[in-house]
Amino acid sequence: TSAVAEQPLEQNTPIPQLKKRQRLNRTGPNKPVVDQSAEGVDNAIAVVGMSGCFPMAPDLEIFWQNLLEGKDCINEIPASRWDWRACYGDPFSEENKTNIKWGGFIEGVDTFDPNFFGISSHEAQLMDPQHRLLMTYVWRVIEDAGYSAQELSGSNTALYVGIMGCGYSELARQANVSIEGYSATGEVPSVGPNRMSYFLNLHGPSEPIETACSSALVAIHRGVEAIRNGCEAAIVGGINVLVASSMHIAFNKAGMLSQDGRCKTFSAQANGYVRGEGVGMLLLKPLNAAQRSGDYIYGVIRGSAENHGGRANSLTSPNPQAQAALLVAAYSNAGVNPRSVGYIEAHGTGTALGDPIEVNGLKIAFETLYDQTQHEQTVSFGGNTAHCGLGSVKTNIGHLELAAGIAGVIKVLLQLKHKTLVKSLHSEELNPYIDFSDSPFYVVQENQPWQPSNDKQGRALPRRAGVSSFGFGGANAHVVIEEYQDQPMLRQRDHVEKYEFTAGLLVLSAKSANQLIRYVEDVLHYIEANNDIDLTNLLYTYQVGRVAMSHRLAIVVDSRESLLAELKSVLQNQLSAAVFQGVVGKQKRLSFGDIIAGKQFIGRLIAEQNFKQLAELWVNGTDIDWANHADQLRFRRLSGLPGYPFDQTRYWISEPDELTRQVDRQVKVNSTERRTTANPHPLLQENTSDLYEQRFTTRLTGKEFFLDDHQVKGSRILPGVAHLEMARAALAKAAAYLADGKFIHISQVVWARPIIVGDVEKDVHIRLMLEEEGQIRYDIYSLSDTSGEDVVHSQGIADIKSQLPTISESSVSHIAALQAEINQASLAAEPFYQILALMGLELGAGFRGVNEILFGNNQVLATVGIPAAVIETQDQYIMHPGLMDSALQPCFALIHREEMLRFAALPEEPTAGSSKAVYAELSLPFALESI
């Protein structure tokens, strides 16, 4: 927020002016600027990856469309941030009030995928949302560059991000959330980049940058310097999120914010800026290294500089001398002719005083640079011809404060990509205090082609631009960016015999089956939208540029059309012989000889283009070094391909609703009861853990009510719901802090084999395993009587949640309304259980919890309760087997409605061989999505 705290200017207000030939006080050597080609500059830095999210733009493609359409992305402060009406008032006469209700806001601030990053749900809720955005968009920028995180692991990669506290901890205090260890790591800004360096195993510098509004651009400058000082790569960017009203009130009282919600840079109506949210990340590499790797290069950073304004009129007033000196230093560092610069993305906050000062600084800096390069006059743009456009993305999305610089850089890179300058909004009538005469500058007021300049031989020079950011504390930064034209790797590829695509292998993977399906949908939509996709490089990028995860899909394709068809077949669950799927568990450790032999075998399969066997190996867990077998002159990494489809679960500090408070209290009561009783849980009798696994064991005799009262075709079988309670109890013991109001979420449950207890007692075990993504996997198993090996009966995935899912009022059905709707027929409890017995499911008193069943149109409504025969056991369980099984039993009535109603209506008693005998096949549940 480098805006000047000011009152509206009168026409006679003096504006600080710089005389035309005023010289700058330089601290560095006044070396001449000599235009150099990108190919000959060893310290040029390539931008090879880009990711971001801005107001009304969840991705950069939509961001560009918004810029192209001249879209103003400002709206009223949404209720998800704060109630602007509660603090609306006169900022100068009322305490803690503001008359500003506008801002630019992004979606997804409250969502995160903690399991992907190995973070618990509870910790995720306490994390500053900016930390969560940092992790997500750092991962996305790596993928956008066509790299896998494994390739960066162990590397000397730097990570610099503009970030500071956003007020999330203030929300936690307002909601009376208890302070704990996660509160510190979730709040301290340095933990944001540090946590991601830890996750990715990066060994370069990892630092937050906080220089107010110049933070993101200073982060880019630091990343450039880190690479020039020996780092292999750098990830740089900035994040800004608005979650509390306090800074809104403070900036308004300082006179910085626009009351009408429009940032009018360079306009005669400029009256302050609008606050905005956003996140942006770049992946930087040395230009020569990016060329060797065949990376897609968005642009080249030729130079950068940072400085401080020193003593000015006030702490928050800009120093035009320092701004001009900054520009001279940046372009001297870049070694480019200033006459070839066709665009400046101005800091341009839209204040009546700040904008003229910035333009005056630009004019003096470029006069100084022109003096130093008089011998480098260009053909197209000489003298003072207005050839350098000015604009500010703040007119579209507001001032993103710590992320302002990265928004400006991404805008410039997109303009370079599309060779188009987009209009700067709200500048129809220019600020009369800005004198553009006798200068190379003009305001871009309409979209226009970005024309390059020419050197004195008439050859086109790369398009060039500068980006400025000025912090309101005086910290300034400027970056010089150049269009990438040199294609040495592509020139080499031109000499390679034209590669005709005949067949290939698309590989996709995710942490779960649902996310893999979402991945397939994203890739399908991308290919449908791109008719001229380079299929060879698309397949190559997904092979080398993504981390191979547990749920895998491989598709053998021979054309774009076949790929589209196979992706659709996956979504329709109609797989052909060209599609391979697998779930990879923990693999056995291979010997060195096995690894060498395997690599040779895979190399032969790739050489023979045996894609079906490669697909089968990969989906079953074989590691394949795709890059090692690729022709580097033939393949290149593509940018902009769909990346990992992160889960969008909400994690946010909020006041608990009454339902959450009631359940929270009950959990604490139950936990206290369990801790004070000496009796073990009926389904979790003994902790038998060792150094290798966490395990609990229960000995079943067959006399337990949940076995004796639950027999299928004469065999005593442990009901599936008892497996769930066993898993819940084991997780509760393993996670002792559940007494603090946490909840267990169990998903992906599969009942594979029944647990049958005959005349001999049977030991049943449950083991808990921590997965890489932070979830807990459990197996319920016994030992085979013959081989002694594990026999897995059921398994599932669990994690710990800090709050219950939010249930909207509209989704709650009222019993009276349901009874009126579902009233076509009814079935009493006694005939219902008689029919189940004839079908082979013999339920004793402990499992007869259904009182009545009503039938509707493909619906049933049942009243259930804990059976009276086992009511005294209700405090021993959270999910009582008798109640839970009774809640599932109406499914039989839904499946076998006609048989049940028909046979229940017959007068005779149901016996085997009578006309009321039931011959329907008994269907039992085998899977559960979540509980």
Side-chain angles (χ1 to χ4, degrees):
T1 54
S2 65
V4 181
E6 58 181 67
Q7 296 297 325
L9 288 171
E10 302 296 336
Q11 282 296 325
N12 59 358
T13 304
I15 299 294
Q17 297 287 339
L18 295 177
K19 295 180 181 179
K20 182 176 180 181
R21 294 297 178 183
Q22 183 175 354
R23 293 303 179 198
L24 300 175
N25 296 322
R26 297 178 56 85
T27 57
N30 191 7
K31 63 180 181 180
V33 177
V34 180
D35 202 340
Q36 308 167 59
S37 68
E39 188 174 4
V41 179
D42 291 335
N43 63 357
I45 306 299
V47 180
V48 299
M50 195 160 64
S51 69
C53 175
F54 300 107
M56 297 189 187
D59 57 50
L60 298 186
E61 183 176 351
I62 297 176
F63 180 52
W64 172 249
Q65 288 302 316
N66 290 346
L67 293 176
L68 204 59
E69 295 169 7
K71 187 172 184 178
D72 189 318
C73 301
I74 303 303
N75 51 24
E76 287 187 353
I77 300 168
S80 60
R81 301 302 190 274
W82 66 87
D83 182 3
W84 63 265
R85 295 171 180 83
C87 56
Y88 194 81
D90 187 343
F92 301 107
S93 63
E94 298 180 75
E95 185 178 356
N96 297 333
K97 296 294 183 179
T98 173
N99 57 3
I100 306 299
K101 62 177 182 178
W102 307 102
F105 298 92
I106 62 176
E107 296 181 1
V109 166
D110 57 344
T111 63
F112 187 48
D113 191 346
N115 293 329
F116 183 89
F117 296 103
I119 296 172
S120 71
S121 300
H122 177 57
E123 184 176 6
Q125 187 182 28
L126 295 178
M127 286 172 62
D128 186 321
Q130 296 177 129
H131 294 195
R132 308 193 301 233
L133 288 169
L134 185 153
M135 301 188 79
T136 301
Y137 282 90
V138 166
W139 185 273
R140 283 179 172 165
V141 80
I142 295 171
E143 287 191 327
D144 182 74
Y147 283 85
S148 73
Q150 292 168 333
E151 290 184 84
L152 271 63
S153 177
S155 68
N156 190 23
T157 296
L159 180 55
Y160 293 101
V161 179
I163 187 173
M164 65 176 288
C166 67
Y168 192 67
S169 58
E170 179 183 333
L171 298 185
R173 286 188 287 271
Q174 291 173 357
N176 296 318
V177 174
S178 300
I179 298 174
E180 50 185 284
Y182 289 146
S183 302
T185 56
E187 181 176 345
V188 176
S190 61
V191 175
N194 292 172
R195 189 195 294 269
M196 199 57 183
S197 292
Y198 160 78
F199 180 73
L200 295 172
N201 190 30
L202 306 180
H203 297 298
S206 179
E207 301 174 20
I209 304 295
E210 201 283 274
T211 58
C213 308
S214 58
S215 298
L217 218 57
V218 170
I220 295 174
H221 171 71
R222 301 281 174 84
V224 168
E225 293 297 302
I227 292 176
R228 289 175 177 172
N229 289 326
C231 282
E232 300 167 47
I235 300 171
V236 297
I239 305 172
N240 201 61
V241 168
L242 314 176
V243 302
S245 62
S246 54
M247 293 303 290
H248 227 66
I249 295 171
F251 289 152
N252 184 204
K253 286 181 178 290
M256 297 178 179
L257 304 185
S258 168
Q259 293 186 27
D260 59 8
R262 297 294 177 266
C263 186
K264 298 178 279 292
T265 306
F266 308 127
S267 170
Q269 285 76 43
N271 62 350
Y273 75 86
V274 188
R275 301 185 74 203
E277 297 181 329
V279 53
M281 297 291 166
L282 304 178
L283 178 57
L284 310 180
K285 287 178 63 176
L287 176 60
N288 51 17
Q291 291 172 327
R292 287 195 302 269
S293 301
D295 297 330
Y296 179 84
I297 299 175
Y298 286 98
V300 177
I301 297 177
R302 293 294 305 276
S304 62
E306 67 168 315
N307 72 2
H308 190 276
R311 185 178 292 276
N313 292 335
S314 69
L315 172 65
T316 59
S317 296
N319 184 335
Q321 289 277 4
Q323 292 180 10
L326 171 80
L327 293 162
V328 171
Y331 287 94
S332 298
N333 174 267
V336 300
N337 188 324
R339 295 170 183 82
S340 66
V341 177
Y343 179 76
I344 297 289
E345 175 67 17
H347 184 63
T349 51
T351 59
L353 183 59
D355 292 348
I357 290 177
E358 181 175 2
V359 174
N360 285 337
L362 278 168
K363 290 167 64 176
I364 291 302
F366 271 69
E367 284 186 36
T368 302
L369 291 166
Y370 279 15
D371 286 346
Q372 296 174 1
T373 58
Q374 292 182 16
H375 61 291
E376 290 290 325
Q377 293 283 345
T378 61
V379 172
S380 297
F381 307 123
N384 293 317
T385 303
H387 63 85
C388 185
L390 300 180
S392 175
V393 74
K394 294 175 179 64
T395 63
N396 298 92
I397 60 175
H399 184 4
L400 270 53
E401 299 169 347
L402 275 78
I406 193 67
V409 169
I410 289 176
K411 173 187 172 182
V412 166
L413 291 169
L414 290 171
Q415 289 185 142
L416 287 172
K417 178 180 179 179
H418 297 281
K419 297 179 174 56
T420 301
L421 296 178
V422 295
K423 66 183 293 186
S424 195
L425 306 185
H426 315 307
S427 60
E428 291 78 10
E429 182 184 354
L430 296 179
N431 190 327
Y433 296 106
I434 302 177
D435 182 11
F436 288 106
S437 64
D438 198 29
S439 85
F441 304 110
Y442 66 96
V443 176
V444 180
Q445 295 174 297
E446 295 295 337
N447 294 353
Q448 62 190 57
W450 188 346
Q451 301 294 346
S453 59
N454 299 310
D455 63 15
K456 53 189 175 183
Q457 282 78 37
R459 295 172 301 190
L461 291 169
R463 293 169 177 83
R464 289 166 178 161
V467 182
S468 291
S469 280
F470 308 134
F472 77 149
N476 308 315
H478 190 84
V479 172
V480 182
I481 301 173
E482 180 178 271
E483 177 185 23
Y484 180 64
Q485 292 180 331
D486 188 50
Q487 303 280 353
M489 291 297 291
L490 294 183
R491 289 204 302 269
Q492 293 181 44
R493 289 186 181 91
D494 290 340
H495 298 293
V496 178
E497 183 179 351
K498 178 66 176 177
Y499 179 70
E500 183 178 352
F501 181 82
T502 55
L505 188 64
L506 174 68
V507 294
L508 297 174
S509 67
K511 298 264 185 177
S512 71
N514 288 339
Q515 286 168 304
L516 183 57
I517 290 298
R518 284 180 51 203
Y519 214 157
V520 171
E521 291 174 343
D522 291 346
V523 174
L524 174 62
H525 295 156
Y526 177 84
I527 296 174
E528 286 178 332
N530 292 272
N531 294 325
D532 57 348
I533 189 72
D534 186 326
L535 200 55
T536 300
N537 290 326
L538 180 141
L539 302 184
Y540 173 72
T541 302
Y542 277 113
Q543 291 166 2
V544 304
R546 300 293 187 269
V547 173
M549 301 178 190
S550 56
H551 291 259
R552 300 188 180 186
L553 173 73
I555 303 176
V556 180
V557 299
D558 56 17
S559 65
R560 176 178 177 273
E561 290 69 28
S562 70
L563 178 55
L564 287 171
E566 298 301 349
L567 290 170
K568 292 175 183 177
S569 74
V570 173
L571 297 179
Q572 296 165 358
N573 199 27
Q574 298 175 351
L575 306 185
S576 71
V579 179
F580 298 81
Q581 287 182 305
V583 180
V584 179
K586 294 181 179 179
Q587 305 296 315
K588 67 176 183 178
R589 186 177 296 276
L590 299 176
S591 68
F592 182 75
D594 291 334
I595 293 172
I596 297 299
K599 285 184 175 180
Q600 293 173 345
F601 177 61
I602 290 171
R604 189 169 72 249
L605 293 179
I606 291 176
E608 296 171 353
Q609 295 193 2
N610 190 339
F611 294 119
K612 287 193 174 183
Q613 192 162 359
L614 284 168
E616 189 170 2
L617 288 171
W618 186 78
V619 299
N620 284 290
T622 301
D623 291 328
I624 299 178
D625 186 0
W626 304 99
N628 188 49
H629 299 286
D631 182 350
Q632 299 302 323
L633 293 180
R634 180 173 291 165
F635 301 132
R636 65 176 303 180
R637 302 171 196 262
L638 297 182
S639 68
L641 297 182
Y644 189 80
F646 290 104
D647 184 38
Q648 300 294 316
T649 302
R650 188 174 190 269
Y651 297 93
W652 200 254
I653 294 292
S654 60
E655 289 282 355
D657 58 23
E658 184 56 31
L659 173 62
T660 302
R661 283 193 287 266
Q662 289 176 7
V663 176
D664 184 51
R665 287 193 294 267
Q666 188 60 48
V667 168
K668 292 183 178 181
V669 169
N670 290 337
S671 299
T672 302
E673 289 176 351
R674 288 197 298 273
R675 286 197 300 270
T676 55
T677 180
N679 296 324
H681 191 287
L683 290 164
L684 208 72
Q685 296 171 359
E686 185 180 3
N687 188 334
T688 55
S689 304
D690 54 29
L691 291 175
Y692 299 98
E693 66 180 9
Q694 187 159 15
R695 179 180 61 233
F696 299 91
T697 300
T698 297
R699 174 158 293 182
L700 301 176
T701 65
K703 298 178 182 179
E704 298 87 351
F705 88 89
F706 48 74
L707 283 167
D708 197 38
D709 285 355
H710 188 272
Q711 298 190 28
V712 180
K713 296 183 179 179
S715 297
R716 289 177 295 201
I717 293 180
L718 187 70
V721 292
H723 294 228
L724 295 177
E725 173 65 6
M726 181 184 289
R728 185 213 58 78
L731 289 159
K733 283 188 176 294
Y737 57 82
L738 283 173
D740 295 329
K742 307 305 181 295
F743 303 92
I744 296 172
H745 175 254
I746 302 175
S747 62
Q748 302 179 41
V749 177
V750 176
W751 291 283
R753 297 177 181 85
I755 296 177
I756 302 175
V757 181
D759 298 330
V760 180
E761 296 180 348
K762 188 178 188 69
D763 286 342
V764 176
H765 315 276
I766 179 171
R767 58 180 164 226
L768 308 178
M769 295 152 286
L770 185 64
E771 300 286 84
E772 292 181 359
E773 52 265 35
Q775 294 176 315
I776 301 168
R777 183 163 66 90
Y778 73 83
D779 289 342
I780 294 177
Y781 67 100
S782 62
L783 300 181
S784 170
D785 295 333
T786 55
S787 66
E789 295 184 352
D790 295 355
V791 177
V792 176
H793 299 283
S794 70
Q795 57 187 194
I797 299 291
D799 59 350
I800 310 302
K801 301 278 188 186
S802 56
Q803 64 183 21
L804 290 174
T806 301
I807 301 174
S808 65
E809 180 65 26
S810 62
S811 67
V812 177
S813 299
H814 297 281
I815 298 299
L818 285 173
Q819 288 175 324
E821 176 186 351
I822 306 174
N823 59 0
Q824 294 179 357
S826 64
L827 184 66
E830 184 176 353
F832 173 65
Y833 285 111
Q834 289 176 340
I835 295 170
L836 288 184
L838 289 173
M839 295 173 66
L841 181 58
E842 302 171 45
L843 300 175
F847 280 82
R848 296 194 172 197
V850 174
N851 297 316
E852 183 186 31
I853 297 175
L854 301 178
F855 293 91
N857 184 20
N858 291 322
Q859 293 175 294
V860 294
L861 176 64
T863 55
V864 298
I866 295 180
V870 290
I871 193 70
E872 73 280 358
T873 66
Q874 64 176 329
D875 292 335
Q876 299 176 16
Y877 307 89
I878 296 296
M879 295 187 286
H880 192 284
L883 176 63
M884 295 291 289
D885 198 80
S886 297
L888 286 177
Q889 291 165 15
C891 294
F892 296 120
L894 184 64
I895 296 170
H896 303 293
R897 166 189 168 129
E898 299 306 323
E899 299 101 310
M900 286 192 171
L901 290 177
R902 184 172 64 252
F903 297 141
L906 294 175
E908 62 182 274
E909 288 294 319
T911 58
S914 72
S915 61
K916 288 192 71 171
V918 178
Y919 300 101
E921 184 67 27
L922 182 65
S923 299
L924 295 175
F926 72 90
L928 178 70
E929 183 175 328
S930 68
I931 185 168

